[in-house]
Amino acid sequence: MKTVYSFETYTLTKLKLKLEDENILESQVSYTRYLFSKFLLNYLRNNNADEFMIAAFKQMIS
């Protein structure tokens, strides 16, 4: 027979695992966004975008 304590422990463990999964997902999304913005900045530089556009992009991503 399960006690209230064991049920609460089980529930809190499940919650902790879900929060850790969300944290990992947020980190992956953040890193992907960083890589993509870095790619776009390099693309702008390599394709002779004017400095105003590059400065605006830098301001937008900071």
Side-chain angles (χ1 to χ4, degrees):
M1 179 175 180
K2 289 190 176 189
T3 65
V4 172
Y5 176 77
S6 65
F7 179 73
E8 286 179 357
T9 303
Y10 170 75
T11 304
L12 289 174
T13 302
K14 281 178 53 177
L15 176 62
K16 180 183 173 203
L17 291 173
K18 281 206 176 280
L19 290 174
E20 287 172 354
D21 286 347
E22 280 187 25
N23 193 19
I24 290 169
L25 179 62
E26 287 177 10
S27 295
Q28 289 172 341
V29 168
S30 177
Y31 185 66
T32 301
R33 200 169 90 198
Y34 165 76
L35 288 177
F36 185 67
S37 63
K38 195 171 175 181
F39 166 80
L40 283 177
L41 185 58
N42 286 334
Y43 179 83
L44 290 173
R45 285 185 180 142
N46 293 337
N47 288 296
N48 299 324
D50 64 14
E51 288 300 314
F52 290 117
M53 184 178 282
I54 292 174
F57 182 76
K58 282 183 179 178
Q59 181 66 28
M60 187 176 70
I61 62 174
S62 62

